[in-house]
Amino acid sequence: MYKTLSSSVNWAQGLPEGGTTTLVCGDIEADGGVLVPHFVQSGLQEASENNVVLVSLTQTMSHYMHIMRKMGVNLAKQRGFQFVNSLTLKNVDYSDLPAATRPHFTVTEWSGFFRWLCDSQPPGCTLIIDGLCSLLDQGFGCDFVSGIVDTCQRIIEDKAIKSNGAARLVIMLFLDDFTEPLVRSLIRRSHYFFNFEGLSSGSSTEVAGQLTVVPGHLYCHIQAQSSGKFKPVLLHYRVSDTTVEFFSPGQSRMVL
């Protein structure tokens, strides 16, 4: 279901190049979170010794397990999947939860997470941060949030060198007037920028919205290693209970 998207951006294995940062934004009408399952599944399929680390500031482990189960992936049986809880920056007792739904790490302060990421995760690592802009709602400033991204980038770039390009960073954000200054700042720090938007005509059962993919400001640094020349992409997409289908405008099977 994501093959059209991957081929459109020249990602042969469904993942961006090693050491890169991909920024994914959505809004109230179009949720960019529909790409989280894609990055999780592609990262788990990359190599058995590699890990996918999902840091969530918005959802629990059970939420992602439910979504991935619809796609035929049982996260509880995936040794390479690591869930990091960052819903609240304080110690919480998760012993009453089923073992399969307990987080592998809980962020109480970010320096501890950085140490865990450096020391406990293999060089091959796809790091996904879902809902980063929630930190703004908690009262943290743009500089603080950008600092978290900068540190994650340095760690991932180091792991990409050690793993021959099997590490990358993916950041999911909500875009509105409040978060726009942060998003603009992070675009300058990214290699790819994905922007989900609703259609001016409104959504329907055939088309849920549109996705625009453009090079981030750092794309020129990886242009030589890219599998093909990357051009801005505009795709429509449709969401069902178990799939997300991307297609060129006017090319949906439902439309045809």
Side-chain angles (χ1 to χ4, degrees):
M1 58 183 171
Y2 294 101
K3 289 182 178 179
T4 299
L5 175 61
S6 297
S7 61
S8 297
V9 294
N10 297 313
W11 290 353
Q13 304 301 319
L15 291 169
E17 295 83 355
T20 59
T21 297
T22 299
L23 193 64
V24 182
C25 288
D27 58 25
I28 193 67
E29 295 181 352
D31 183 9
V34 297
L35 282 188
V36 171
H38 164 73
F39 287 112
V40 170
Q41 188 172 36
S42 298
L44 291 173
Q45 293 174 344
E46 185 176 27
S48 59
E49 67 273 14
N50 295 349
N51 275 6
V52 173
V53 177
L54 174 58
V55 182
S56 179
L57 293 93
T58 57
Q59 300 289 349
T60 64
M61 173 74 164
S62 298
H63 170 79
Y64 299 101
M65 291 182 68
H66 177 69
I67 293 175
M68 296 305 296
R69 190 177 296 118
K70 291 182 178 181
M71 299 175 61
V73 178
N74 187 346
L75 290 180
K77 296 183 178 179
Q78 298 292 331
R79 293 183 178 180
F81 180 75
Q82 300 282 293
F83 179 74
V84 176
N85 170 53
S86 187
L87 284 170
T88 176
L89 297 178
K90 62 181 181 180
N91 285 310
V92 178
D93 183 8
Y94 294 100
S95 59
D96 291 337
L97 293 177
T101 62
R102 295 174 193 165
H104 299 88
F105 186 86
T106 296
V107 178
T108 55
E109 42 88 21
W110 285 96
S111 59
F113 167 71
F114 299 144
R115 289 192 297 270
W116 175 83
L117 183 62
C118 286
D119 301 337
S120 301
Q121 298 307 303
C125 174
T126 296
L127 173 60
I128 307 167
I129 304 179
D130 189 15
L132 183 65
C133 56
S134 295
L135 290 174
L136 298 180
D137 296 328
Q138 297 175 31
F140 295 98
C142 287
D143 290 344
F144 177 83
V145 180
S146 296
I148 291 175
V149 173
D150 288 342
T151 304
C152 289
Q153 285 181 311
R154 289 195 296 270
I155 295 172
I156 289 299
E157 287 168 1
D158 181 65
K159 287 183 178 293
I161 294 173
K162 295 177 180 178
S163 64
N164 194 27
R168 73 278 302 164
L169 172 63
V170 180
I171 302 172
M172 323 296 292
L173 288 164
F174 183 85
L175 177 58
D176 59 12
D177 292 341
F178 179 59
T179 63
E180 184 177 354
L182 174 63
V183 172
R184 288 185 178 276
S185 173
L186 295 183
I187 290 175
R188 292 193 289 269
R189 295 172 166 87
S190 68
H191 300 81
Y192 294 96
F193 175 53
F194 287 61
N195 189 34
F196 284 84
E197 299 175 288
L199 297 174
S200 58
S201 58
S203 62
S204 66
T205 56
E206 292 82 12
V207 183
Q210 68 182 26
L211 167 63
T212 305
V213 187
V214 298
H217 287 205
L218 297 182
Y219 178 76
C220 60
H221 296 174
I222 63 164
Q223 199 161 3
Q225 61 173 300
S226 179
S227 57
K229 186 177 181 180
F230 175 70
K231 298 180 180 179
V233 175
L234 174 63
L235 295 172
H236 285 175
Y237 69 97
R238 181 165 57 93
V239 180
S240 68
D241 190 45
T242 59
T243 64
V244 182
E245 181 185 5
F246 292 89
F247 48 88
S248 299
Q251 297 301 308
S252 169
R253 289 194 296 270
M254 297 290 292
V255 174
L256 295 175

